[in-house]
């Protein structure tokens, strides 16, 4: 019988995990080992994957992966023999004995995802790093300096990881940081809601023989359940000082730092190095390897010989790398293979599985001695009730799609009100400067360059904040992880991993952190595939363009048009992933093993703070790249001033003014428009626009639209600032210049050629333009992120090329087909 044979609510005992390689290793490290009870919680709305309850946490697996886990009923399970591995032995005093000099303490924060590590980092360092209730929020290390009791703490927040093996990039990153940087103290943050699983990582730190202080975080949840832990005895059994903390409230933080100082100064008598007993046969193999490793003192000076021996027996590539400089490298390798094969044949089990079982046995033994459970688990019960609705087999998917529609619709409709207020303020500032400054180049630069460019973008700040509010709500509550659970089967159909959905959703905020979040995907090909399609996720920088153009052309249906654009991006990314999967990444898929954290109520203050932190990045762009770009674009459009016009417009305008009739007033406006249009076409930016017009004309764009798209490579918001500079300079809306940019766009007409008098932005042209903005090349920051995260700039160049080709093709097809279908 396998896990896949169980139904919702059924429970059983794990008998064996089949399969090989990374999948098997990851499952065993997550607690899927012989003798552990497991319960089926529910299937995803699309029947795959399935959520299971094991070791007080919720883990999701695909059904194909569940087929590899053999289970038996609880009553049929024959317990593991007692007296085996998992006992504490060889208690040794940790050295050095003399206090180390210096007042700087290097501290590394290590822990499972969702354990509150970054929250603790923010508390002690007064930082504002992003935290979220899902795996992969910390995608790189973050460092901070602060002082406490005369010591300078240099603290590094490392990515969340379940173990220190070689399964994923974050595991390798954390392990290499500890081995290479050798922090003075490793603060191991563990979740009190899930001690058995979290302490597995602690057991690996014990094997590394590093100095550890354990922060028992979320201790208030443990107290709420009325569970009891003998912290003093647990500290002695682990050889590690255990300090209860409640990071989000700041409780226990100073006590933790004080213990870090005590451990650093070797003043804590309970801190000692222990050996986890892996059983007679494995211990015999470890001893043989240690003898060979100790022949190279340069190795043992930097690394624990016991840790290297265990890694070699586990067939971990990093173990081989660590000994690669040893003179007897080949002898050690041969002995490791021999011993690993001997133990495997003896127990008819992979050596890494036996070692994992022993570690969990050690953890279970320590908790049995020190922890007394009350049996209550209100946190899980609450999460289960919420999941009963949000991941319901019938309602889960509609609720999620409805949430996305609400997010995009609210972004436009609710954002319209404050957007109008800011717009009025920008107009008043423009009128004030016009009324109180003499005409000249400096006034033109302020009004048309700075206010027309930056002001045209800053009015969309409310829309950006509303979008980030919804994304922060998903991240902080734990719903983000559920979206991957709900959508895994859909993603699977398109060749994507279920975890890819989280970076894709994050892409709605900004593509750069979304690309960085692909590090949570274990398989390199899955990471590359996800990176290639993230640019189709409409980031917040594209939102101002959508709101501007959709609001101008489809004022009563703008919200639906914007939602359609987001969905088109999602659908197209799925189609491209099928193509890429078949053409570029023909590999076997990685397993879907993901923890579903319990739901948390972060509080409105936390959500608003995260929303504002993300919005602040948008404001910084206003005073940086967008201001500079606006001034450059204004200057290119303002100069040269000496233009040879095709007609004497000033004389024609004077003649019309002398007629003094309504028809003359209309003619004066038309002549003024034609004069300004011709002046702009002779400007430097106009000449560039006219040069590229043959390429964009088949798409229905004029040269101003083309220039706006070109400048958008620096940052998509610059598309709006460019249009603000180019269109605000037109006197279409009246001499006071107080008409909004949306109205100016709505009123744009061609002033020459066969289309003279017709509107530039028709509904067809608007759709074509919006699709081009959706698909074409991402900003320079995204290109840099792809090159950095993929490890090859050829992928960055590929993204640059293929997205632009798709954008031109899609806009061409829509505009040309639409033109043929239009009557007349």
């Amino acid at each position: 019988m396998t896990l896949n044979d169980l139904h919702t609510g059924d429970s059983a005992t794990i008998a064996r995990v089949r399969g090989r390689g990374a999948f098997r290793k990851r499952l065993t490290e997550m607690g899927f080992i012989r003798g552990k009870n497991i319960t089926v919680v529910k299937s995803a709305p699309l029947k795959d994957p399935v959520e299971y309850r094991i070791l007080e946490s919720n883990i999701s697996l695909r059904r194909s992966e569940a087929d590899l886990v053999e289970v038996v009923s609880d009553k049929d399970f024959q317990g593991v023999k007692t007296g085996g591995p998992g006992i504490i032995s060889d208690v040794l005093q940790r050295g050095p004995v003399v206090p180390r000099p210096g007042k700087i303490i290097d501290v590394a924060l290590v822990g499972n995802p969702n354990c509150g590590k970054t929250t603790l980092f923010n508390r002690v360092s007064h930082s504002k790093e992003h935290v979220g209730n899902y795996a992969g929020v910390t995608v790189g290390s973050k460092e901070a300096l602060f002082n406490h009791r005369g010591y300078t703490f240099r603290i590094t927040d490392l990515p969340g990881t379940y173990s220190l093996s070689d399964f994923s990039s974050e595991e390798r990153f954390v392990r290499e940081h500890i081995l290479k940087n050798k922090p003075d103290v490793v603060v191991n943050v563990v979740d009190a809601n899930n001690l058995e699983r979290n302490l597995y990582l602690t057991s690996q730190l014990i094997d590394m023989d590093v100095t550890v202080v354990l922060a028992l975080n979320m201790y208030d949840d443990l107290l709420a359940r009325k569970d009891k832990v003998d912290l003093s005895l647990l500290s002695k059994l682990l050889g590690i000082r255990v300090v209860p903390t409640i990071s989000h409230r700041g409780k226990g933080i100073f006590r933790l730092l004080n213990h870090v100082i005590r451990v650093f100064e070797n003043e804590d008598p309970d801190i000692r190095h222990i050996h986890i007993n892996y059983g007679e046969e494995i211990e015999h193999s470890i001893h043989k390897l240690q003898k060979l490793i100790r022949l190279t003192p340069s190795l043992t000076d930097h690394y624990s010989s016991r840790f290297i021996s265990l890694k070699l027996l586990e067939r971990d590539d990093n173990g081989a790398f660590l000994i690669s400089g040893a003179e007897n490298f080949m002898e050690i390798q041969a002995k490791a293979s021999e011993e690993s094969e001997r133990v495997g044949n003896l127990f008819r089990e992979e050596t890494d599985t036996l070692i994992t079982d022993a570690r969990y046995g050690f953890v279970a033994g320590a908790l049995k001695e020190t922890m007394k459970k009350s049996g209550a688990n209100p946190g899980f019960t609450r999460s289960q009730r919420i999941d009963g609705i949000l991941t319901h087999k019938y309602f889960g998917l509609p609720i999620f799609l409805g949430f996305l529609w609400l997010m995009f619709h609210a972004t436009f409709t609710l954002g319209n009100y404050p957007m109008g207020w800011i717009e009025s303020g920008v107009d008043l500032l423009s009128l004030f400067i016009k009324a109180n400054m003499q005409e000249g180049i400096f006034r033109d630069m302020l009004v048309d360059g700075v206010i027309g460019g930056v002001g045209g973008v800053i009015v969309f700040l409310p829309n950006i904040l509303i979008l980030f509010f919804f994304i922060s709500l998903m991240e902080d509550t734990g719903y983000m992880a559920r979206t991957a659970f709900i959508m895994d089967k859909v993603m699977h159909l398109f060749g994507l991993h279920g975890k890819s959905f989280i970076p894709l959703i994050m892409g709605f905020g900004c593509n750069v952190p979304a690309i960085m979040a692909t590090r949570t995907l274990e398989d390199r090909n899955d990471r590359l595939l996800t990176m290639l399609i993230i640019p189709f996720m409409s980031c917040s920088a594209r939102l101002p363009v959508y709101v501007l153009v959709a609001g101008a052309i489809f004022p009563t249906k703008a919200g639906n048009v914007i939602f359609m654009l987001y969905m088109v991006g999602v659908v197209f990314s799925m189609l491209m992933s099928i193509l890429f999967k078949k053409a570029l990444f023909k590999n076997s898929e990685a397993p879907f093993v993901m923890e579903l954290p319990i739901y948390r109520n972060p509080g409105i203050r936390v959500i608003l703070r995260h929303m504002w932190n993300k919005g602040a990045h948008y404001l910084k762009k206003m005073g940086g790249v967008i201001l500079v770009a606006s001034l450059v674009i204004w200057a290119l459009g303002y100069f040269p001033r000496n233009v040879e016009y095709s007609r004497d417009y000033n004389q024609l305008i004077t003649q019309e003014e002398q007629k003094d009739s309504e028809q003359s007033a209309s003619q004066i406006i038309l002549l003024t428009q034609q004069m300004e249009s011709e002046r702009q076409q002779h400007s430097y930016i106009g000449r560039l626009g006219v040069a590229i017009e043959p390429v964009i004309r088949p798409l229905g764009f004029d040269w101003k639209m083309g220039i706006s798209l070109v400048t958008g490579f620096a940052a998509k918001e610059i598309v709006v600032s460019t249009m603000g500079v180019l269109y605000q300079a037109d006197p279409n809306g009246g001499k006071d210049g107080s008409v909004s940019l949306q109205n100016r766009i709505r009123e744009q007409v061609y002033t020459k050629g066969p289309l003279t008098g017709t509107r530039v932005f028709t509904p067809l042209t608007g759709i074509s333009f919006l699709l081009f903005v959706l698909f074409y090349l991402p900003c320079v920051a995204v290109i840099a992120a792809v090159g950095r995260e993929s490890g090859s700039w050829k992928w960055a160049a590929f993204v640059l090329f293929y997205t632009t080709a798709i954008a031109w093709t899609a806009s061409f097809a829509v505009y040309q087909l639409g033109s043929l279908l239009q009557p007349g």
Side-chain angles (χ1 to χ4, degrees):
M1 183 169 67
T2 69
L3 270 185
N4 206 21
D5 296 320
L6 302 181
H7 302 288
T8 301
D10 290 351
S11 63
T13 301
I14 296 176
R16 180 174 163 231
V17 178
R18 292 185 281 113
R20 300 183 64 83
F23 165 71
R24 177 192 177 92
K25 189 169 184 62
R26 171 42 53 100
L27 273 191
T28 55
E29 290 174 346
M30 297 285 282
F32 285 72
I33 60 175
R34 177 178 168 83
K36 294 299 179 184
N37 182 264
I38 187 166
T39 303
V40 183
V41 178
K42 69 157 70 70
S43 299
L46 298 176
K47 305 299 182 184
D48 200 16
V50 180
E51 181 181 352
Y52 298 96
R53 182 74 173 170
I54 184 171
L55 291 182
E56 299 182 2
S57 64
N58 289 31
I59 308 293
S60 60
L61 294 178
R62 293 195 185 113
R63 291 189 178 276
S64 59
E65 294 152 5
D67 265 332
L68 298 176
V69 181
E70 295 181 0
V71 295
V72 296
S73 63
D74 296 337
K75 63 180 181 179
D76 293 335
F77 178 72
Q78 298 296 322
V80 183
K81 293 181 180 179
T82 58
I87 61 175
I88 304 170
S89 65
D90 296 323
V91 178
L92 303 172
Q93 178 66 37
R94 177 181 296 280
V97 180
V98 291
R100 283 163 288 183
K103 290 289 188 177
I104 298 177
I105 307 178
D106 279 311
V107 178
L109 288 181
V110 176
N112 283 197
N114 308 313
C115 68
K117 195 166 39 60
T118 302
T119 303
L120 177 62
F121 176 81
N122 289 340
R123 279 284 182 177
V124 298
S125 64
H126 303 288
S127 302
K128 294 182 179 179
E129 294 296 340
H130 179 217
V131 297
N133 192 15
Y134 64 99
V137 181
T138 305
V139 292
S141 62
K142 302 176 180 70
E143 189 174 289
L145 292 172
F146 66 94
N147 296 316
H148 178 70
R149 287 182 56 184
Y151 288 85
T152 298
F153 281 71
R154 183 162 48 225
I155 188 166
T156 304
D157 181 24
L158 297 173
T161 177
Y162 294 107
S163 77
L164 299 175
S165 60
D166 200 35
F167 183 71
S168 64
S169 57
E170 63 265 22
E171 291 177 351
R172 290 188 291 272
F173 184 89
V174 172
R175 183 179 61 193
E176 289 172 9
H177 178 91
I178 295 173
L179 291 174
K180 291 181 179 179
N181 294 282
K182 297 179 175 57
D184 296 316
V185 179
V186 173
V187 174
N188 179 203
V189 185
V190 301
D191 182 358
N193 294 291
N194 196 357
L195 268 178
E196 189 169 2
R197 232 269 318 288
N198 277 242
L199 287 175
Y200 177 81
L201 177 60
T202 309
S203 70
Q204 292 184 311
L205 292 171
I206 290 172
D207 287 330
M208 291 182 77
D209 191 16
V210 294
T211 305
V212 181
V213 174
L214 192 144
L216 185 57
N217 202 28
M218 304 181 194
Y219 193 65
D220 52 336
D221 290 346
L222 184 142
L223 296 176
R225 294 195 303 271
K226 299 182 179 179
D227 293 345
K228 295 181 180 179
V229 178
D230 188 334
L231 299 178
S232 177
L233 180 56
L234 183 60
S235 296
K236 292 178 180 178
L237 293 178
L238 297 177
I240 295 170
R241 174 58 57 195
V242 180
V243 184
T245 59
I246 308 173
S247 295
H248 69 282
R249 296 181 184 173
K251 293 187 177 181
I253 302 298
F254 289 119
R255 188 188 310 154
L256 175 68
L257 296 178
N258 292 339
H259 277 293
V260 169
I261 293 173
R262 289 188 66 195
V263 170
F264 177 73
E265 295 291 355
N266 297 303
E267 294 176 354
D268 193 325
D270 288 337
I271 299 300
R272 52 191 178 171
H273 175 51
I274 66 170
H275 285 174
I276 299 172
N277 191 321
Y278 289 100
E280 183 178 351
E281 295 299 333
I282 293 180
E283 289 292 340
H284 184 61
S285 297
I286 292 173
H287 182 67
K288 287 183 177 180
L289 291 173
Q290 281 183 297
K291 287 177 65 177
L292 294 175
I293 293 170
R294 286 169 179 163
L295 295 176
T296 306
S298 60
L299 282 178
T300 54
D301 286 345
H302 295 282
Y303 313 115
S304 163
S305 61
R306 184 175 177 84
F307 172 72
I308 297 176
S309 301
L310 285 166
K311 285 298 164 190
L312 291 172
L313 290 173
E314 291 178 299
R315 299 182 186 273
D316 191 310
D317 291 340
N318 183 254
F321 175 76
L322 291 176
I323 64 169
S324 57
E327 292 182 2
N328 58 342
F329 169 73
M330 297 303 295
E331 184 183 2
I332 297 174
Q333 275 281 72
K335 179 59 71 174
S337 298
E338 177 187 329
E339 290 299 315
S340 181
E341 188 173 348
R342 179 186 70 82
V343 173
N345 292 335
L346 183 63
F347 290 97
R348 296 182 180 179
E349 187 64 272
E350 296 286 342
T351 312
D352 60 343
T353 301
L354 293 170
I355 293 173
T356 300
D357 287 350
R359 285 179 178 142
Y360 270 112
F362 163 74
V363 171
L367 291 179
K368 184 177 180 180
E369 293 290 326
T370 60
M371 188 172 186
K372 184 178 180 181
K373 294 187 177 183
S374 66
N377 196 345
F380 172 60
T381 303
R382 181 185 64 179
S383 291
Q384 197 172 29
R385 288 199 303 268
I386 297 172
D387 267 342
I389 299 171
L390 297 184
T391 61
H392 190 273
K393 61 180 179 179
Y394 297 126
F395 305 132
L397 190 56
I399 288 174
F400 172 61
L401 294 176
F403 180 85
L404 289 183
W405 178 85
L406 176 65
M407 178 171 72
F408 301 130
H409 197 71
T411 296
F412 179 80
T413 54
L414 294 180
N416 253 350
Y417 298 103
M419 177 179 144
W421 305 333
I422 298 175
E423 204 168 59
S424 299
V426 171
D427 288 340
L428 288 173
L429 179 61
S430 178
L431 291 173
F432 176 80
I433 292 176
K434 282 186 175 182
N436 291 276
M437 286 187 68
Q438 291 183 347
E439 290 187 15
I441 184 173
F442 187 65
R443 192 186 81 167
D444 291 343
M445 181 187 70
L446 284 179
V447 174
D448 297 329
V450 177
I451 298 176
V454 176
V457 180
I458 202 170
V459 297
F460 299 103
L461 178 61
N463 307 88
I464 300 296
L465 292 177
I466 292 172
L467 176 67
F468 280 138
F469 173 82
F470 281 97
I471 293 177
S472 297
L473 183 66
M474 295 173 68
E475 292 178 344
D476 296 337
T477 57
Y479 186 53
M480 184 72 85
R482 269 68 181 185
T483 63
F485 174 71
I486 292 170
M487 296 297 295
D488 177 65
K489 188 168 184 178
V490 175
M491 305 292 279
H492 187 56
L493 294 174
F494 293 100
L496 288 165
H497 195 279
K499 286 185 181 178
S500 298
F501 196 69
I502 292 178
L504 292 177
I505 287 289
M506 291 176 65
F508 289 147
C510 179
N511 285 177
V512 174
I515 286 170
M516 294 174 66
T518 59
R519 296 179 190 175
T520 59
L521 296 166
E522 291 83 7
D523 184 79
R524 171 174 166 77
N525 285 348
D526 285 333
R527 288 199 300 274
L528 287 173
L529 177 57
T530 307
M531 282 183 212
L532 293 181
I533 63 173
I534 280 176
F536 293 126
M537 299 295 106
S538 295
C539 63
S540 60
R542 288 184 175 96
L543 183 60
V545 188
Y546 294 167
V547 175
L548 174 66
V549 178
I553 303 174
F554 310 99
T556 60
K557 299 178 180 178
N560 292 332
V561 170
I562 293 172
F563 178 69
M564 179 204 71
L565 288 169
Y566 278 86
M567 291 302 102
V568 168
V570 171
V571 171
F572 210 84
S573 68
M574 298 296 104
L575 296 177
M576 291 305 299
S577 70
I578 294 176
L579 177 62
F580 290 148
K581 188 75 172 180
K582 292 181 177 180
L584 301 176
F585 307 109
K586 299 178 181 179
N587 67 317
S588 57
E589 62 195 28
F592 181 77
V593 183
M594 190 181 73
E595 181 182 3
L596 299 178
I598 64 173
Y599 286 101
R600 297 194 178 277
N601 179 13
I604 191 66
R605 287 180 58 190
V606 173
I607 295 174
L608 290 177
R609 186 175 71 241
H610 289 170
M611 175 192 78
W612 179 249
N613 288 341
K614 294 170 182 175
H617 179 69
Y618 182 77
L619 283 177
K620 288 177 182 177
K621 278 187 178 181
M622 300 300 104
V625 62
I626 292 176
L627 174 60
V628 173
S630 298
L631 291 175
V632 170
I633 293 162
W634 170 82
L636 292 175
Y638 192 78
F639 297 103
R641 302 303 292 171
N642 298 322
V643 175
E644 293 185 7
Y645 294 103
S646 59
R647 294 190 290 172
D648 190 344
Y649 286 105
N650 289 326
Q651 182 178 355
L652 293 173
I653 291 172
T654 302
Q655 291 175 357
E656 292 296 331
E657 288 176 341
Q658 292 173 354
K659 295 180 182 179
D660 193 20
S661 64
E662 290 186 9
Q663 185 176 0
S664 297
S666 300
Q667 189 64 23
I668 289 172
I669 292 176
L670 178 61
L671 287 169
T672 307
Q673 290 175 355
Q674 291 174 344
M675 180 179 178
E676 178 61 22
S677 177
E678 192 169 335
R679 188 202 67 77
Q680 283 191 335
Q681 287 187 12
H682 284 86
S683 68
Y684 295 124
I685 199 168
R687 295 170 189 174
L688 177 61
V690 171
I692 66 172
E693 197 164 20
V695 178
I696 60 174
R697 176 60 67 189
L699 313 182
F701 306 162
D702 69 350
W703 69 268
K704 294 180 184 179
M705 298 163 73
I707 288 296
S708 299
L709 293 171
V710 170
T711 59
F713 176 57
K716 288 296 174 286
E717 297 96 337
I718 297 179
V719 173
V720 175
S721 65
T722 303
M723 297 176 87
V725 171
L726 296 178
Y727 292 135
Q728 290 285 16
D730 276 348
N732 281 11
K735 294 182 180 179
D736 61 359
S738 63
V739 177
S740 70
L741 181 56
Q742 281 189 342
N743 286 333
R744 291 187 184 279
I745 286 175
R746 192 179 297 121
E747 295 168 0
Q748 287 297 306
V749 295
Y750 287 101
T751 57
K752 61 185 295 186
L755 298 176
T756 300
T758 61
R759 295 201 179 279
V760 174
F761 283 90
T762 64
L764 181 59
T765 303
I767 291 295
S768 176
F769 184 78
L770 289 171
L771 286 176
F772 196 95
V773 172
L774 165 64
F775 290 130
Y776 90 118
L777 55 87
C779 66
V780 64
V782 175
I783 296 298
V786 172
R788 184 174 59 251
E789 294 299 317
S790 66
S792 173
W793 289 101
K794 70 178 183 180
W795 291 113
F798 178 69
V799 169
L800 197 68
F801 170 77
Y802 101 88
T803 53
T804 305
I806 287 174
W808 193 93
T809 304
S811 293
F812 177 83
V814 168
Y815 183 75
Q816 294 299 329
L817 184 60
S819 299
L820 290 175
L821 296 177
Q822 279 184 338

